[in-house]
Amino acid sequence: MGGQEVLGQAARLASSGLLLQVLFRLITFVLNAFILRFLSKEIVGIVNVRLTLLYSTSVFLAREAFRRACLSGGAQRDWRKTLNLLWLTVPLGVFWSLFLGWIWLQWLEVPDPNTVPHYGTGVVVFGLSAVVELLGEPFWVLAQAHMFVKLKVIADSLSVILKSVLTALLVLWLPHWGLYIFSLAQLFYTSVLVLCYVLYFTNLLGSPESSRHFLPVSRMTDLLPSITRSRSFYNWKEAKLTWSFFKQSFLKQILTEGERYVMTFLNVLNFGDQGVYDIVNNLGSLVARIVFQPIEESFYIFFAKVLEREKEATMQKQEDIAVAAVVLESLLKLALLTGLSITVFGFSYSQLALDIYGGPMLSSGSGPALLRTYSFYVLLLAINGVTECFTFAAMSKEEVDRYNFSMLALSCAFLAVAYVLTRWCGSVGFILANCFNMAIRISQSLRFIHHYYHKSPHRPLASLRLSPALLGAFLLSGGITRVSEMYLCCNYGWLARLAHVAVGTLCLAATLGIVFLTESKLIHFLRTQLGASRLTGKWT
């Protein structure tokens, strides 16, 4: 499969993932606003910080390394060995769920049962839901490797929507159930997600249509663990790469969820403050996650398929290297412009957004300062997502191992910085520590990308430079909206607030106009790939 064809599939996957993320985040956005009217901040804090951390850590440590290693292989591979390797995620998930569940029950502070009832049940069920989700991992990897876009969209959408509906109904009818509500909803979510994949492959493998997908399996039993003809149970090259990624995943999880680990294990914030922080954190990351999570996931697959890990850029097909450089350059520019827009306009509209979303509970305390700081963090988050997407797809096993050592040092430094800054300036310290973390990770990835392309004629990192006109537009917009906030928001009534929104809309429109005039290469890339996603596009 050529680079351009893989690019078209990745663009289609990213665009569908973008719509999916919009749906997810809007549902979560509305659901959180609804829950705040019926449940206490303490329950929100326990669910969104502690129990979700238990679930996400168990799942991440059990599967992330396997996903990265098994999606990196070429077309010529023994899929039976790959599927055997993927089934190891289930016993790993059982181990992590039991081990972490014991820590959550025995080591951590147990909340007051009068305020947060049924904590023990919540720990058990969230751990069980992690294991249930891992049962679908071989199906997920096979679907991703063959770009089954429609399957991912339907499975994720259906499971999230049904979970949200169940949560809302239980909160409305049985609010005294406390953590029972979220435990049942989480287990229901993972069960529906896995069931969608199982039913899809059961139907596909039993039909004549399966032949046109060139699937490496012909019946459902082929997806189960089995001994291959070579009597080797695993592809040991993939297994070694998985181990390298596992060491990296362990460190990356600490960096990704670092503030939640600090909150959970060091008790620097009470459960109510944790709930407010998580709400602001979700609101702050809304646009970034909507745009960049599907891009990172989809274009990691693109880079992993186009680039060969063990070869330098000059030793690979130059057509593929050129396509990868163009894609990386465009994605970096998109990340930079989106991140800057969120930073510039988010600073002046944080208080208004929180006041509309959660009322005085969020807008009168530390919420606005949290969201303003987070708006800058989003810029770093966006750039880091793209740079690591390329870096992890292009690194050799030896380079992944070397990167792990630097990640170890960064993990220790991040936790120390987070603890010190939180003691010094409260919950804002978590976001400042995350900014420190992201800046270091970006510098690591930029150094790798520069070295990777330094012997080739391609310079994708040049996209991180802005034209003077565009830089001036961002600075001017930031100044105008800041003055508008001082004189129009948020204590002067709804007409003043609407005027403040109108000022921001005009500034944003003017900035986007300058983007269209000065960034013709990016506009061409977006039009080409969006067009390709429509035309190539009958979803698999």
Side-chain angles (χ1 to χ4, degrees):
M1 186 181 293
Q4 291 290 348
E5 186 177 353
V6 177
L7 174 59
Q9 290 183 334
R12 201 164 72 245
L13 186 60
S15 60
S16 64
L18 177 60
L19 295 175
L20 193 61
Q21 286 297 320
V22 171
L23 176 64
F24 286 178
R25 295 294 167 175
L26 287 177
I27 290 174
T28 304
F29 184 83
V30 174
L31 183 62
N32 280 338
F34 175 79
I35 288 173
L36 284 174
R37 272 66 178 175
F38 291 89
L39 298 178
S40 66
K41 293 185 296 183
E42 286 74 18
I43 288 183
V44 174
I46 287 292
V47 172
N48 290 353
V49 177
R50 183 173 292 191
L51 295 183
T52 300
L53 182 64
L54 169 65
Y55 161 79
S56 64
T57 303
S58 300
V59 170
F60 190 92
L61 293 180
R63 79 180 180 192
E64 179 69 11
F66 291 87
R67 282 188 172 185
R68 291 196 176 276
C70 295
L71 284 172
S72 300
Q76 303 301 320
R77 70 158 88 181
D78 188 340
W79 266 99
R80 286 182 181 269
K81 295 181 180 179
T82 299
L83 292 170
N84 288 341
L85 186 64
L86 286 168
W87 278 110
L88 286 180
T89 58
V90 178
L92 271 176
V94 172
F95 166 76
W96 285 116
S97 295
L98 291 174
F99 177 69
L100 294 174
W102 175 73
I103 292 177
W104 257 240
L105 289 172
Q106 300 297 324
W107 283 24
L108 300 181
E109 175 191 358
V110 176
D112 182 359
N114 294 321
T115 306
V116 184
H118 318 303
Y119 172 73
T121 302
V123 170
V124 172
V125 175
F126 269 75
L128 176 61
S129 67
V131 177
V132 171
E133 182 166 343
L134 292 170
L135 291 172
E137 195 61 19
F139 303 91
W140 187 92
V141 170
L142 188 62
Q144 287 290 100
H146 290 80
M147 299 289 185
F148 287 0
V149 180
K150 188 176 181 179
L151 171 59
K152 178 178 173 58
V153 171
I154 291 177
D156 290 351
S157 301
L158 184 62
S159 55
V160 168
I161 290 172
L162 292 178
K163 173 190 174 182
S164 302
V165 171
L166 178 61
T167 303
L169 291 176
L170 291 177
V171 167
L172 184 61
W173 292 338
L174 301 166
H176 60 279
W177 275 23
L179 294 185
Y180 281 160
I181 295 172
F182 300 95
S183 301
L184 289 173
Q186 183 67 24
L187 186 59
F188 182 66
Y189 159 76
T190 55
S191 301
V192 171
L193 184 64
V194 172
L195 187 61
C196 286
Y197 280 90
V198 172
L199 291 177
Y200 181 87
F201 276 101
T202 301
N203 180 66
L204 178 63
L205 295 178
S207 68
E209 187 184 358
S210 62
S211 59
R212 75 178 182 88
H213 295 295
F214 304 104
L215 292 173
V217 294
S218 57
R219 55 186 184 273
M220 286 296 290
T221 54
D222 293 338
L223 286 163
L224 300 175
S226 61
I227 301 295
T228 61
R229 292 179 181 177
S230 64
R231 297 187 179 276
S232 175
F233 199 63
Y234 307 120
N235 180 329
W236 288 104
K237 182 178 179 181
E238 284 183 342
K240 291 177 181 177
L241 185 60
T242 300
W243 174 242
S244 296
F245 274 125
F246 174 77
K247 292 181 286 186
Q248 184 188 96
S249 297
F250 190 83
L251 300 173
K252 185 179 179 182
Q253 177 67 5
I254 294 176
L255 295 173
T256 303
E257 302 279 10
E259 71 273 17
R260 286 178 168 82
Y261 288 115
V262 173
M263 281 188 280
T264 297
F265 287 94
L266 300 180
N267 296 322
V268 292
L269 298 176
N270 60 46
F271 295 128
D273 289 341
Q274 289 180 26
V276 173
Y277 174 84
D278 185 77
I279 293 168
V280 172
N281 182 59
N282 287 333
L283 184 60
S285 64
L286 187 65
V287 177
R289 296 298 185 187
I290 284 174
V291 175
F292 287 102
Q293 186 171 329
I295 288 178
E296 182 180 353
E297 291 177 353
S298 303
F299 282 95
Y300 173 80
I301 298 173
F302 163 74
F303 289 128
K305 285 179 175 289
V306 168
L307 304 175
E308 297 183 50
R309 285 186 182 276
E310 305 300 327
K311 293 184 179 179
E312 295 183 355
T314 54
M315 302 299 292
Q316 301 190 42
K317 288 179 61 177
Q318 291 308 297
E319 178 187 355
D320 289 345
I321 291 296
V323 171
V326 170
V327 171
L328 178 58
E329 181 179 353
S330 300
L331 292 179
L332 282 174
K333 181 68 75 173
L334 180 63
L336 179 63
L337 295 179
T338 305
L340 276 175
S341 299
I342 294 171
T343 300
V344 169
F345 292 95
F347 190 87
S348 300
Y349 289 87
S350 294
Q351 185 175 358
L352 179 60
L354 291 175
D355 192 58
I356 294 173
Y357 184 57
M361 184 188 74
L362 295 179
S363 63
S364 61
S366 62
L370 277 171
L371 195 53
R372 288 189 180 107
T373 310
Y374 204 99
S375 67
F376 173 71
Y377 172 57
V378 167
L379 171 61
L380 302 178
L381 190 69
I383 296 174
N384 179 72
V386 174
T387 54
E388 284 194 348
C389 164
F390 178 89
T391 300
F392 292 155
M395 277 182 170
S396 65
K397 178 187 177 300
E398 292 73 21
E399 287 169 327
V400 172
D401 288 335
R402 287 198 299 269
Y403 188 83
N404 289 339
F405 285 105
S406 61
M407 291 277 280
L408 176 60
L410 180 57
S411 300
C412 297
F414 168 72
L415 293 176
V417 169
Y419 180 76
V420 171
L421 290 177
T422 305
R423 289 294 186 185
W424 176 46
C425 52
S427 52
V428 173
F430 283 124
I431 303 176
L432 294 177
N434 276 323
C435 291
F436 165 80
N437 159 30
M438 285 297 165
I440 299 297
R441 287 166 63 177
I442 289 170
S443 66
Q444 296 263 45
S445 298
L446 292 180
R447 186 166 63 229
F448 174 85
I449 295 169
H450 174 75
H451 180 265
Y452 190 85
Y453 276 107
H454 82 283
K455 292 182 180 179
S456 76
H458 310 292
R459 296 293 179 266
L461 297 183
S463 61
L464 292 176
R465 292 195 294 266
L466 287 180
S467 66
L470 192 51
L471 182 60
F474 278 116
L475 291 174
L476 186 60
S477 295
I480 292 173
T481 53
R482 181 58 179 155
V483 172
S484 173
E485 182 186 30
M486 292 171 60
Y487 290 99
L488 296 176
C489 183
C490 289
N491 300 316
Y492 302 101
W494 282 103
L495 288 178
R497 295 183 183 191
L498 290 175
H500 180 47
V501 172
V503 170
T505 303
L506 291 174
C507 289
L508 179 60
T511 303
L512 291 178
I514 296 176
V515 169
F516 274 92
L517 293 175
T518 59
E519 300 296 338
S520 56
K521 186 181 293 188
L522 174 63
I523 301 305
H524 174 73
F525 174 81
L526 293 175
R527 285 175 175 170
T528 301
Q529 297 314 313
L530 289 176
S533 69
R534 289 193 297 266
L535 293 173
T536 57
K538 185 179 178 182
W539 285 355
T540 308

